[in-house]
Amino acid sequence: MSHTRAARLPRPADRYEVRGLSVSPFCLGMTDIDDLTHAFSRGFNFFFLSADMHWPLYEGTRRALERLLASGVPRRDIVVACASYVAQPEFCFAPFHEVVAAVPGLDYLDVAVMGGVYPDNFLAPRSIYVAHREERFEGISSVGASFHDRSVARTAMEGGLVDLCFVRYNAEHDGAAREIFPFAAARDKPLLYCFKSTGGYVPDAALDAAGLPREKWRPTVADHYRFVLSRGAVDGVLCTLASNAEVDALCSALEEGPMTEEEQAYLVGIAHLGAGRARLGG
């Protein structure tokens, strides 16, 4: 299936405007102090925290933001999104307060994200999140949602029900390309960020075991981000970068530009090879 190809790949220093916020196409999630600081120096200004059930996984990111703010970076120069997986309306307040209180200097949040959204846990919490946005509860000025069901993501995208949509898309799981991307072209659509972008990455040892010749292209982690961003409907990615070297590798890979359809098809083939759904010569 052919997809609209992006004219260019975004760069970390690019900015989108959403409800008074200027956000990078790259939203950095789980990381540590040195890597977040380095990413900020390369143009990243959009950072992701998770409350309640994923709280321990984001300790490094919280401490990194604390260090960044303590270094003198103005709070207005960064955008912080926080996801909560609490769906019961009576509990849609405390997680955001707790995150602000846990990071000295953070003072407020910019984006409140509904986590793990399915059809049966979207509309009621959404009304509360929108109220948070209108009342600027904990400073919130924008509403996002991390959709685990593509049908409700499409409904939200078409109806402009949130300001940012987070959906899963990668070389191994391409359902969003069929069910969401064709409906994400409206000029005033919510920003569309993909998560789990590196799903399908296959390390060298596994490719050796599968019999892929060494002279064949072996896609890197950064290539998987290029793959996702080569889709014209995609505005950005939620990414996890584990070292300064990975930050730099991503920035360098973006200079190569969007992948051709042939390159994308090859990368999908490698993902299927790694997952055991394909074999060489088969």
Side-chain angles (χ1 to χ4, degrees):
M1 180 178 179
S2 178
H3 301 276
T4 302
R5 182 169 175 253
R8 67 180 288 273
L9 295 183
R11 305 295 194 271
D14 291 346
R15 296 291 183 262
Y16 298 125
E17 301 298 320
V18 53
R19 290 192 172 269
L21 302 173
S22 293
V23 300
S24 170
F26 298 87
C27 184
L28 184 59
M30 288 180 284
T31 185
D32 63 24
I33 293 173
D34 291 338
D35 302 331
L36 187 145
T37 302
H38 183 64
F40 180 75
S41 76
R42 296 299 305 263
F44 290 71
N45 84 325
F46 192 16
F47 304 106
F48 189 93
L49 294 171
S50 184
D52 41 74
M53 66 181 292
H54 291 148
W55 183 274
L57 299 177
Y58 286 82
E59 175 65 14
T61 309
R62 290 194 297 273
R63 300 288 71 84
L65 286 171
E66 178 184 352
R67 175 79 64 86
L68 187 68
L69 292 164
S71 74
V73 171
R75 174 62 180 85
R76 64 180 178 276
D77 288 353
I78 66 172
V79 177
V80 178
C82 178
S84 173
Y85 289 78
V86 173
Q88 294 90 339
E90 61 270 28
F91 297 118
C92 288
F93 300 84
F96 301 113
H97 173 73
E98 290 168 352
V99 168
V100 172
V103 183
L106 184 61
D107 297 336
Y108 60 89
L109 298 171
D110 300 291
V111 184
V113 180
M114 290 170 272
V117 173
Y118 291 90
D120 61 353
N121 69 344
F122 176 52
L123 291 180
R126 176 192 171 270
S127 65
I128 295 175
Y129 278 55
V130 170
H132 288 347
R133 183 184 68 193
E134 301 309 314
E135 298 166 7
R136 299 300 298 269
F137 171 70
E138 295 295 354
I140 292 164
S141 59
S142 185
V143 170
S146 176
F147 293 100
H148 290 196
D149 181 281
R150 291 192 291 272
S151 65
V152 70
R154 174 177 165 180
T155 297
M157 177 69 69
E158 290 185 298
L161 301 181
V162 293
D163 306 313
L164 298 95
C165 288
F166 294 85
V167 301
R168 182 175 73 167
Y169 176 68
N170 56 54
E172 204 173 4
H173 298 94
D174 65 350
R178 299 186 301 273
E179 299 175 30
I180 298 173
F181 293 178
F183 309 97
R187 185 179 60 184
D188 58 349
K189 70 174 179 64
L191 289 177
L192 178 60
Y193 283 72
C194 292
F195 60 86
K196 300 290 186 182
S197 300
T198 60
Y201 167 70
V202 185
D204 275 350
L207 292 176
D208 288 338
L212 185 72
R214 274 280 166 179
E215 65 270 17
K216 295 293 186 180
W217 176 35
R218 295 176 174 225
T220 65
V221 169
D223 286 324
H224 281 263
Y225 287 119
R226 282 184 63 221
F227 170 87
V228 171
L229 293 165
S230 293
R231 302 301 197 196
V234 177
D235 295 306
V237 291
L238 173 61
C239 52
T240 297
L241 301 171
S243 67
N244 287 359
E246 285 195 9
V247 173
D248 292 337
L250 174 58
C251 292
S252 295
L254 298 172
E255 300 295 333
E256 299 178 36
M259 287 185 177
T260 64
E261 288 197 9
E262 291 77 15
E263 289 172 325
Q264 293 176 55
Y266 179 90
L267 193 143
V268 169
I270 290 293
H272 288 179
L273 181 68
R277 295 197 295 270
R279 57 188 177 86
L280 295 175

